[in-house]
């Protein structure tokens, strides 16, 4: 249920299979492919982890910054603190306290691949901490069905904190904690502004129903970045990967999964992509850079996973770590 909180709203816009011009921040007549010499696209791996607890890997979260405009993909546990490490970077908005004209105000849109907890446990932080630090507009959220209910329940869970800040002695605005949710179920453009077009595409992931798991293709004037989300190998996805300058794809160790019981192996190959399968993808679509994230190691080390991939793939690839930057 969409709930109303005094003067603040949680807004849900349900969409099926059409583009969403309402998601545009500053839609202009020019194409998002109009290259400006000043345009700079930067990708930051805010979180690269899996459901497994790793002190050096926050939950899945990928930040794309285009001329200091921020686009966030997934919100896994613990990623928000990583913004502190980016403070002062030339490609980032200013780190100014208590101002919407800052990095906190730019934490204003997130695109969720699917609702597995390791991809959304950071949503409460993303909804509330930037608000406390200055965001004064609703957080735009795009993702599969169920996202609106999740966001509404988060606000309900933290209502005491919200009321304390709104109606106590602390200065607070009335919109920064609210959300504007767009639920999607098909391949479609989900955001378009004067420089960036974000297109969602369905991916198969375990037993999630069709239209409940997505990847995203991000087209900017100087780069195409594709994010696979969690998905098994499926040649039907190649068309969405084509032309990628940076392809960010999940991966699992073939050697590691091969040591598991057969029922677990069956599940993993129904939900995830092995190194050998990812190499097939890389050889077919030939991205300039293939970034491996969400590494399912199953007892293998990062080095072993890297070597395993290198045995199958001769292209340019990286195993991502938290706060890696690609330009």
């Amino acid at each position: 249920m969409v709930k109303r909180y005094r003067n603040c709203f949680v807004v849900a816009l349900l969409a099926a299979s059409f583009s969403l011009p309402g998601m545009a921040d500053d839609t202009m007549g020019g194409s998002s492919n109009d290259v400006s010499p000043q345009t700079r696209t930067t990708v930051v791996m805010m979180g690269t982890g899996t459901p497994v607890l790793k002190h050096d890997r926050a939950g899945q979260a990928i930040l794309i910054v285009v001329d200091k405009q921020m686009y966030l993909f997934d919100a896994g546990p613990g990623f928000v603190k990583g913004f502190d490490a980016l403070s002062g970077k030339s490609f980032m908005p200013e780190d100014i306290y208590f101002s919407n004209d800052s990095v906190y105000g730019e934490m204003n849109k997130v695109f969720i691949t699917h609702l597995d907890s390791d991809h959304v446990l950071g949503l409460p932080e993303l909804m509330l901490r930037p608000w406390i630090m200055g965001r004064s507009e609703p957080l735009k959220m795009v993702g599969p069905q169920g996202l609106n209910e999740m966001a509404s329940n988060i606000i309900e869970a933290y209502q005491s904190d919200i009321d304390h800040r709104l109606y106590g002695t602390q200065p607070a605005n009335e919109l920064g904690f609210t959300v504007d949710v767009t639920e999607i179920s098909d391949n479609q453009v989900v955001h378009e502004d004067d420089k960036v077009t974000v297109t969602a595409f369905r991916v198969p992931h375990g037993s999630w129903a069709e239209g409940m798991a997505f990847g995203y293709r991000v087209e900017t004037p100087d780069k195409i970045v594709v994010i696979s989300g969690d998905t098994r190998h499926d040649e039907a996805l190649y068309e969405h990967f084509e032309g990628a300058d940076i392809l960010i794809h999940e991966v699992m160790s073939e050697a590691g999964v091969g040591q598991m019981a057969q029922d677990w192996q069956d599940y993993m190959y129904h939900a995830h992509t092995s190194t050998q399968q990812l190499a097939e993808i890389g050889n077919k679509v030939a991205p300039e850079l293939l970034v491996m994230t969400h590494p399912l190691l199953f007892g293998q080390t990062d080095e072993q996973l890297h070597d395993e991939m290198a045995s199958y793939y001769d292209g340019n690839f990286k195993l991502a770590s938290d706060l890696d930057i690609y330009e």
Side-chain angles (χ1 to χ4, degrees), residues 288-308:
E288 289 190 14
L289 175 63
L290 176 59
V291 177
M292 301 189 299
T293 190
H294 196 275
L296 294 163
L297 299 170
F298 306 126
Q300 304 296 295
T301 65
D302 286 0
E303 292 75 17
Q304 286 173 317
L305 179 67
H306 183 279
D307 292 346
E308 185 177 294

Side-chain angles (χ1 to χ4, degrees), residues 132-186:
I132 295 167
M133 297 305 296
R135 187 180 64 215
S136 58
E137 60 187 55
L139 170 64
K140 295 179 181 179
M141 299 169 61
V142 175
Q145 294 176 22
L147 183 60
N148 181 63
E149 182 180 18
M150 179 177 288
S152 297
N153 288 337
I154 290 170
I155 289 179
E156 184 174 354
Y158 289 91
Q159 193 63 52
S160 293
D161 172 73
I162 292 166
D163 286 347
H164 164 73
R165 298 181 190 281
L166 282 176
Y167 307 112
T169 57
Q170 175 178 326
N173 65 77
E174 294 189 343
L175 289 178
F177 74 90
T178 65
V179 295
D180 182 347
V181 178
T182 301
E183 293 187 344
I184 58 175
S185 59
D186 206 350

